Amino acid sequence: MLSEFTQRPLAKSIHQAYYPVPTAILAKWQKTVDLLACVLEVAVARITQATPDQLLLLVSNQSPANPFFLEKPAFVYYNSYCAQVVLSAKPLVVINTELDGRSEHNSDVTLGMLAYEGLPLFWPSGELFGTLAVLDKTPRTFTPLQEQLLQHFKEGCESELKILFNESHERADSIHSSQNVLFQKLVSVVHAASANSNLLATLQNAMEVVASITSAEYGSMIVLNEKGAVTDNIIGLNAWGLDIKEAIYSSLIEYGLAGWVFRQREVALVSDTLTDSRWLRLPEQPSQARSALVVPVMRGELLAGIMVLLHSQPSHFGVEQIKLIVPASEHLALLLDNIRLQGLARQEKESRQSTESQLYLSEGRYQAISEMTSDFAFSLVINSNGSFEVEWVTDAFFRVTNYSLEELMKPEGWKLLVHPDDAAQAVRYAKSVMAGHAGVVEFRIITRRGEVRWVRLYVKREWDTEKRKLIRILGAGQDITEQKQAEEALQHANEELNGWVSELEQHTREIGLLNEM
């Protein structure tokens, strides 16, 4: 049976015209192959049609000796002789398949066929349609009269194709004209997106235009991010009343026909979902779908999305729709890229707002703490000549000294602060810091109000490892005036106490002398 063989699409180089064959013509061809099998006394007579990605068995003679009739319509497999005729577009005659090097793993041979003759069928335009072939279970050749008869049947089939071709083109011209109008509308919709902040609504409108162009009953756009993951921006136009969740799209990307397009980056045209192994039948998928057109939406090398178009009738989509939709997908890619950039901008804005909010709260806490303490921080920038300037100081510094940052940033402005008696000590400390021997120092300053206050400084050096030089000094300071005043008061009290003790000891000695006297 045909189900024993693996289905595979034909080579990617096959791009023949494709028009569905009407039932009336199929009925004529059925009589043709029945008569052909009877006259030539062969087991199998069949006609196949090559679509852009598969080879279909359209009709086969109704005979118990014909194993292919049992599963009509179906695929003719990639390893069959008819597939070889399609790929070469030339007649093929095999007198004895057992002696033919192409018979290995050949589905025709596996089903017992030992003789084959196939002729390519062409559209009036010269493009390949498919094959007319006869097969038998015994090795054999055909007489010149039989060959002439086979050629006559081929010409009869191609005359029917000419009628179908002309009718299809007349009908296609009318359809194509209206589709061109819709295509221009699609381009206008996409290009107007730059002035529309609601890009998802614009994409919805664009998909509705695409559905009009292809007469699709169901369509969706699976929007992907730059990493190829499915986003929550899934646009659908749905005449079937289905509710397909985001999770099913992720599954389809991994397993289904959309997944095949995702991996191959190629258009997938499915004439009948019942006979295409790439169609993943899931409970959530549209059960009405019989034909599908799935298109990768590329933005340069980036796969921006996957467009899925479905119809309830087999062979609804064809080459003409592909010729319109592929250029349309290029315009849709621009819209998807704008949606992606808009999403990134929104995320960045939300992140910035969150950061600003946290920073505001942090600054508020810092401000509150700073207002409750006399501790301050500062930064000194080291100049190329080795001098330094005040870069910034915290608010607590102003409350302690009453000097502004502008006054401190003047050349040698820091000398306004240092008490003259402690200037030498401050200079020695600065040189020690510059030499890398930073530590802790205490000295007096004079505030703008003329008050003398004590400060204790702690510093940390910022070193540029590439340029191998000191570029900044970060420091923290404390107003320790009250601590110093307490120490001085304690020292004065100790001195007074020592004086009293000495005086008491002197009195004690004097009393002792008086007692001795």
PDB file of all heavy atoms in Angstrom, residues 108-132:
ATOM      1  N   ASP A 108       7.191   2.115  -7.082  1.00  0.00           N
ATOM      2  CA  ASP A 108       6.539   1.342  -8.137  1.00  0.00           C
ATOM      3  C   ASP A 108       7.014  -0.113  -8.117  1.00  0.00           C
ATOM      4  O   ASP A 108       6.224  -1.052  -8.240  1.00  0.00           O
ATOM      5  CB  ASP A 108       6.835   1.961  -9.506  1.00  0.00           C
ATOM      6  CG  ASP A 108       6.239   3.358  -9.641  1.00  0.00           C
ATOM      7  OD1 ASP A 108       5.215   3.614  -8.992  1.00  0.00           O
ATOM      8  OD2 ASP A 108       6.801   4.168 -10.389  1.00  0.00           O
ATOM      9  N   VAL A 109       8.322  -0.304  -7.956  1.00  0.00           N
ATOM     10  CA  VAL A 109       8.889  -1.652  -7.926  1.00  0.00           C
ATOM     11  C   VAL A 109       8.425  -2.396  -6.678  1.00  0.00           C
ATOM     12  O   VAL A 109       8.115  -3.593  -6.723  1.00  0.00           O
ATOM     13  CB  VAL A 109      10.431  -1.582  -7.982  1.00  0.00           C
ATOM     14  CG1 VAL A 109      11.039  -2.985  -7.883  1.00  0.00           C
ATOM     15  CG2 VAL A 109      10.884  -0.899  -9.259  1.00  0.00           C
ATOM     16  N   THR A 110       8.360  -1.695  -5.573  1.00  0.00           N
ATOM     17  CA  THR A 110       7.929  -2.317  -4.321  1.00  0.00           C
ATOM     18  C   THR A 110       6.508  -2.842  -4.426  1.00  0.00           C
ATOM     19  O   THR A 110       6.149  -3.842  -3.796  1.00  0.00           O
ATOM     20  CB  THR A 110       8.036  -1.301  -3.167  1.00  0.00           C
ATOM     21  OG1 THR A 110       9.355  -0.771  -3.151  1.00  0.00           O
ATOM     22  CG2 THR A 110       7.754  -1.961  -1.833  1.00  0.00           C
ATOM     23  N   LEU A 111       5.706  -2.168  -5.245  1.00  0.00           N
ATOM     24  CA  LEU A 111       4.321  -2.608  -5.438  1.00  0.00           C
ATOM     25  C   LEU A 111       4.183  -3.628  -6.579  1.00  0.00           C
ATOM     26  O   LEU A 111       3.079  -3.928  -7.008  1.00  0.00           O
ATOM     27  CB  LEU A 111       3.424  -1.402  -5.699  1.00  0.00           C
ATOM     28  CG  LEU A 111       3.212  -0.492  -4.484  1.00  0.00           C
ATOM     29  CD1 LEU A 111       2.508   0.782  -4.881  1.00  0.00           C
ATOM     30  CD2 LEU A 111       2.422  -1.212  -3.406  1.00  0.00           C
ATOM     31  N   GLY A 112       5.315  -4.146  -7.078  1.00  0.00           N
ATOM     32  CA  GLY A 112       5.277  -5.247  -8.036  1.00  0.00           C
ATOM     33  C   GLY A 112       5.349  -4.856  -9.486  1.00  0.00           C
ATOM     34  O   GLY A 112       5.144  -5.714 -10.366  1.00  0.00           O
ATOM     35  N   MET A 113       5.618  -3.598  -9.809  1.00  0.00           N
ATOM     36  CA  MET A 113       5.671  -3.167 -11.201  1.00  0.00           C
ATOM     37  C   MET A 113       7.065  -3.452 -11.781  1.00  0.00           C
ATOM     38  O   MET A 113       8.078  -3.013 -11.219  1.00  0.00           O
ATOM     39  CB  MET A 113       5.368  -1.663 -11.312  1.00  0.00           C
ATOM     40  CG  MET A 113       3.984  -1.266 -10.798  1.00  0.00           C
ATOM     41  SD  MET A 113       2.634  -1.986 -11.754  1.00  0.00           S
ATOM     42  CE  MET A 113       2.026  -3.209 -10.584  1.00  0.00           C
ATOM     43  N   LEU A 114       7.123  -4.166 -12.924  1.00  0.00           N
ATOM     44  CA  LEU A 114       8.395  -4.525 -13.546  1.00  0.00           C
ATOM     45  C   LEU A 114       8.615  -3.824 -14.880  1.00  0.00           C
ATOM     46  O   LEU A 114       9.705  -3.931 -15.455  1.00  0.00           O
ATOM     47  CB  LEU A 114       8.463  -6.048 -13.754  1.00  0.00           C
ATOM     48  CG  LEU A 114       8.465  -6.881 -12.461  1.00  0.00           C
ATOM     49  CD1 LEU A 114       8.563  -8.363 -12.795  1.00  0.00           C
ATOM     50  CD2 LEU A 114       9.607  -6.468 -11.552  1.00  0.00           C
ATOM     51  N   ALA A 115       7.596  -3.124 -15.396  1.00  0.00           N
ATOM     52  CA  ALA A 115       7.755  -2.363 -16.645  1.00  0.00           C
ATOM     53  C   ALA A 115       7.107  -0.990 -16.468  1.00  0.00           C
ATOM     54  O   ALA A 115       6.070  -0.865 -15.805  1.00  0.00           O
ATOM     55  CB  ALA A 115       7.119  -3.100 -17.816  1.00  0.00           C
ATOM     56  N   TYR A 116       7.741   0.043 -17.070  1.00  0.00           N
ATOM     57  CA  TYR A 116       7.220   1.414 -16.927  1.00  0.00           C
ATOM     58  C   TYR A 116       7.500   2.191 -18.196  1.00  0.00           C
ATOM     59  O   TYR A 116       8.577   2.099 -18.790  1.00  0.00           O
ATOM     60  CB  TYR A 116       7.896   2.125 -15.748  1.00  0.00           C
ATOM     61  CG  TYR A 116       7.504   3.577 -15.636  1.00  0.00           C
ATOM     62  CD1 TYR A 116       6.384   3.956 -14.900  1.00  0.00           C
ATOM     63  CD2 TYR A 116       8.223   4.570 -16.282  1.00  0.00           C
ATOM     64  CE1 TYR A 116       6.008   5.285 -14.801  1.00  0.00           C
ATOM     65  CE2 TYR A 116       7.861   5.907 -16.195  1.00  0.00           C
ATOM     66  CZ  TYR A 116       6.735   6.252 -15.457  1.00  0.00           C
ATOM     67  OH  TYR A 116       6.359   7.576 -15.366  1.00  0.00           O
ATOM     68  N   GLU A 117       6.489   2.984 -18.611  1.00  0.00           N
ATOM     69  CA  GLU A 117       6.691   3.983 -19.653  1.00  0.00           C
ATOM     70  C   GLU A 117       5.866   5.207 -19.284  1.00  0.00           C
ATOM     71  O   GLU A 117       4.652   5.113 -19.051  1.00  0.00           O
ATOM     72  CB  GLU A 117       6.296   3.472 -21.030  1.00  0.00           C
ATOM     73  CG  GLU A 117       6.541   4.534 -22.105  1.00  0.00           C
ATOM     74  CD  GLU A 117       6.547   3.978 -23.521  1.00  0.00           C
ATOM     75  OE1 GLU A 117       6.505   2.736 -23.685  1.00  0.00           O
ATOM     76  OE2 GLU A 117       6.602   4.800 -24.463  1.00  0.00           O
ATOM     77  N   GLY A 118       6.538   6.360 -19.193  1.00  0.00           N
ATOM     78  CA  GLY A 118       5.867   7.592 -18.809  1.00  0.00           C
ATOM     79  C   GLY A 118       6.192   8.735 -19.732  1.00  0.00           C
ATOM     80  O   GLY A 118       7.331   8.872 -20.195  1.00  0.00           O
ATOM     81  N   LEU A 119       5.197   9.553 -20.026  1.00  0.00           N
ATOM     82  CA  LEU A 119       5.357  10.716 -20.891  1.00  0.00           C
ATOM     83  C   LEU A 119       5.021  11.975 -20.094  1.00  0.00           C
ATOM     84  O   LEU A 119       4.025  12.005 -19.363  1.00  0.00           O
ATOM     85  CB  LEU A 119       4.428  10.621 -22.110  1.00  0.00           C
ATOM     86  CG  LEU A 119       4.584   9.385 -23.006  1.00  0.00           C
ATOM     87  CD1 LEU A 119       3.519   9.399 -24.099  1.00  0.00           C
ATOM     88  CD2 LEU A 119       5.979   9.322 -23.604  1.00  0.00           C
ATOM     89  N   PRO A 120       5.823  13.037 -20.239  1.00  0.00           N
ATOM     90  CA  PRO A 120       5.495  14.282 -19.553  1.00  0.00           C
ATOM     91  C   PRO A 120       4.325  14.988 -20.236  1.00  0.00           C
ATOM     92  O   PRO A 120       4.236  14.998 -21.472  1.00  0.00           O
ATOM     93  CB  PRO A 120       6.778  15.106 -19.655  1.00  0.00           C
ATOM     94  CG  PRO A 120       7.461  14.590 -20.877  1.00  0.00           C
ATOM     95  CD  PRO A 120       7.099  13.134 -20.975  1.00  0.00           C
ATOM     96  N   LEU A 121       3.424  15.555 -19.457  1.00  0.00           N
ATOM     97  CA  LEU A 121       2.314  16.360 -19.960  1.00  0.00           C
ATOM     98  C   LEU A 121       2.632  17.831 -19.721  1.00  0.00           C
ATOM     99  O   LEU A 121       3.125  18.199 -18.641  1.00  0.00           O
ATOM    100  CB  LEU A 121       1.015  15.984 -19.256  1.00  0.00           C
ATOM    101  CG  LEU A 121       0.530  14.537 -19.431  1.00  0.00           C
ATOM    102  CD1 LEU A 121      -0.716  14.296 -18.585  1.00  0.00           C
ATOM    103  CD2 LEU A 121       0.244  14.238 -20.898  1.00  0.00           C
ATOM    104  N   PHE A 122       2.324  18.678 -20.724  1.00  0.00           N
ATOM    105  CA  PHE A 122       2.683  20.087 -20.633  1.00  0.00           C
ATOM    106  C   PHE A 122       1.445  20.973 -20.813  1.00  0.00           C
ATOM    107  O   PHE A 122       0.517  20.635 -21.552  1.00  0.00           O
ATOM    108  CB  PHE A 122       3.723  20.463 -21.701  1.00  0.00           C
ATOM    109  CG  PHE A 122       5.038  19.788 -21.515  1.00  0.00           C
ATOM    110  CD1 PHE A 122       5.335  18.621 -22.214  1.00  0.00           C
ATOM    111  CD2 PHE A 122       5.975  20.305 -20.648  1.00  0.00           C
ATOM    112  CE1 PHE A 122       6.554  17.982 -22.058  1.00  0.00           C
ATOM    113  CE2 PHE A 122       7.207  19.682 -20.470  1.00  0.00           C
ATOM    114  CZ  PHE A 122       7.495  18.516 -21.168  1.00  0.00           C
ATOM    115  N   TRP A 123       1.478  22.122 -20.146  1.00  0.00           N
ATOM    116  CA  TRP A 123       0.512  23.187 -20.403  1.00  0.00           C
ATOM    117  C   TRP A 123       0.839  23.827 -21.755  1.00  0.00           C
ATOM    118  O   TRP A 123       1.972  23.686 -22.250  1.00  0.00           O
ATOM    119  CB  TRP A 123       0.588  24.251 -19.313  1.00  0.00           C
ATOM    120  CG  TRP A 123       0.139  23.817 -17.953  1.00  0.00           C
ATOM    121  CD1 TRP A 123       0.929  23.476 -16.907  1.00  0.00           C
ATOM    122  CD2 TRP A 123      -1.205  23.704 -17.488  1.00  0.00           C
ATOM    123  NE1 TRP A 123       0.171  23.143 -15.817  1.00  0.00           N
ATOM    124  CE2 TRP A 123      -1.153  23.278 -16.142  1.00  0.00           C
ATOM    125  CE3 TRP A 123      -2.456  23.905 -18.081  1.00  0.00           C
ATOM    126  CZ2 TRP A 123      -2.280  23.059 -15.378  1.00  0.00           C
ATOM    127  CZ3 TRP A 123      -3.582  23.701 -17.312  1.00  0.00           C
ATOM    128  CH2 TRP A 123      -3.501  23.272 -15.982  1.00  0.00           C
ATOM    129  N   PRO A 124      -0.096  24.552 -22.340  1.00  0.00           N
ATOM    130  CA  PRO A 124       0.193  25.260 -23.599  1.00  0.00           C
ATOM    131  C   PRO A 124       1.354  26.244 -23.472  1.00  0.00           C
ATOM    132  O   PRO A 124       2.022  26.542 -24.462  1.00  0.00           O
ATOM    133  CB  PRO A 124      -1.119  25.994 -23.916  1.00  0.00           C
ATOM    134  CG  PRO A 124      -2.170  25.209 -23.209  1.00  0.00           C
ATOM    135  CD  PRO A 124      -1.531  24.688 -21.969  1.00  0.00           C
ATOM    136  N   SER A 125       1.598  26.727 -22.270  1.00  0.00           N
ATOM    137  CA  SER A 125       2.689  27.678 -22.041  1.00  0.00           C
ATOM    138  C   SER A 125       4.050  27.006 -22.062  1.00  0.00           C
ATOM    139  O   SER A 125       5.080  27.686 -22.063  1.00  0.00           O
ATOM    140  CB  SER A 125       2.495  28.365 -20.688  1.00  0.00           C
ATOM    141  OG  SER A 125       2.520  27.402 -19.633  1.00  0.00           O
ATOM    142  N   GLY A 126       4.065  25.662 -22.092  1.00  0.00           N
ATOM    143  CA  GLY A 126       5.326  24.937 -22.074  1.00  0.00           C
ATOM    144  C   GLY A 126       5.744  24.505 -20.689  1.00  0.00           C
ATOM    145  O   GLY A 126       6.739  23.777 -20.533  1.00  0.00           O
ATOM    146  N   GLU A 127       5.010  24.948 -19.674  1.00  0.00           N
ATOM    147  CA  GLU A 127       5.328  24.524 -18.317  1.00  0.00           C
ATOM    148  C   GLU A 127       4.792  23.111 -18.081  1.00  0.00           C
ATOM    149  O   GLU A 127       3.784  22.701 -18.657  1.00  0.00           O
ATOM    150  CB  GLU A 127       4.730  25.495 -17.302  1.00  0.00           C
ATOM    151  CG  GLU A 127       5.355  26.879 -17.369  1.00  0.00           C
ATOM    152  CD  GLU A 127       4.737  27.829 -16.353  1.00  0.00           C
ATOM    153  OE1 GLU A 127       3.644  28.347 -16.635  1.00  0.00           O
ATOM    154  OE2 GLU A 127       5.337  28.020 -15.290  1.00  0.00           O
ATOM    155  N   LEU A 128       5.480  22.405 -17.201  1.00  0.00           N
ATOM    156  CA  LEU A 128       5.136  21.013 -16.944  1.00  0.00           C
ATOM    157  C   LEU A 128       3.834  20.899 -16.163  1.00  0.00           C
ATOM    158  O   LEU A 128       3.608  21.631 -15.202  1.00  0.00           O
ATOM    159  CB  LEU A 128       6.266  20.339 -16.162  1.00  0.00           C
ATOM    160  CG  LEU A 128       6.116  18.840 -15.921  1.00  0.00           C
ATOM    161  CD1 LEU A 128       6.329  18.073 -17.214  1.00  0.00           C
ATOM    162  CD2 LEU A 128       7.091  18.369 -14.853  1.00  0.00           C
ATOM    163  N   PHE A 129       2.972  19.983 -16.556  1.00  0.00           N
ATOM    164  CA  PHE A 129       1.747  19.690 -15.813  1.00  0.00           C
ATOM    165  C   PHE A 129       1.932  18.463 -14.943  1.00  0.00           C
ATOM    166  O   PHE A 129       1.646  18.463 -13.747  1.00  0.00           O
ATOM    167  CB  PHE A 129       0.575  19.459 -16.763  1.00  0.00           C
ATOM    168  CG  PHE A 129      -0.646  18.900 -16.076  1.00  0.00           C
ATOM    169  CD1 PHE A 129      -1.521  19.737 -15.404  1.00  0.00           C
ATOM    170  CD2 PHE A 129      -0.903  17.534 -16.074  1.00  0.00           C
ATOM    171  CE1 PHE A 129      -2.640  19.215 -14.739  1.00  0.00           C
ATOM    172  CE2 PHE A 129      -2.013  17.012 -15.431  1.00  0.00           C
ATOM    173  CZ  PHE A 129      -2.887  17.860 -14.751  1.00  0.00           C
ATOM    174  N   GLY A 130       2.410  17.347 -15.548  1.00  0.00           N
ATOM    175  CA  GLY A 130       2.537  16.099 -14.811  1.00  0.00           C
ATOM    176  C   GLY A 130       2.939  14.979 -15.747  1.00  0.00           C
ATOM    177  O   GLY A 130       3.751  15.177 -16.657  1.00  0.00           O
ATOM    178  N   THR A 131       2.348  13.800 -15.541  1.00  0.00           N
ATOM    179  CA  THR A 131       2.727  12.643 -16.357  1.00  0.00           C
ATOM    180  C   THR A 131       1.509  11.819 -16.757  1.00  0.00           C
ATOM    181  O   THR A 131       0.489  11.794 -16.054  1.00  0.00           O
ATOM    182  CB  THR A 131       3.692  11.721 -15.579  1.00  0.00           C
ATOM    183  OG1 THR A 131       3.004  11.135 -14.472  1.00  0.00           O
ATOM    184  CG2 THR A 131       4.915  12.474 -15.093  1.00  0.00           C
ATOM    185  N   LEU A 132       1.655  11.149 -17.924  1.00  0.00           N
ATOM    186  CA  LEU A 132       0.767  10.066 -18.329  1.00  0.00           C
ATOM    187  C   LEU A 132       1.645   8.821 -18.366  1.00  0.00           C
ATOM    188  O   LEU A 132       2.667   8.801 -19.071  1.00  0.00           O
ATOM    189  CB  LEU A 132       0.158  10.338 -19.710  1.00  0.00           C
ATOM    190  CG  LEU A 132      -0.585   9.162 -20.354  1.00  0.00           C
ATOM    191  CD1 LEU A 132      -1.827   8.778 -19.542  1.00  0.00           C
ATOM    192  CD2 LEU A 132      -0.969   9.503 -21.782  1.00  0.00           C
TER     193      LEU A 132
END
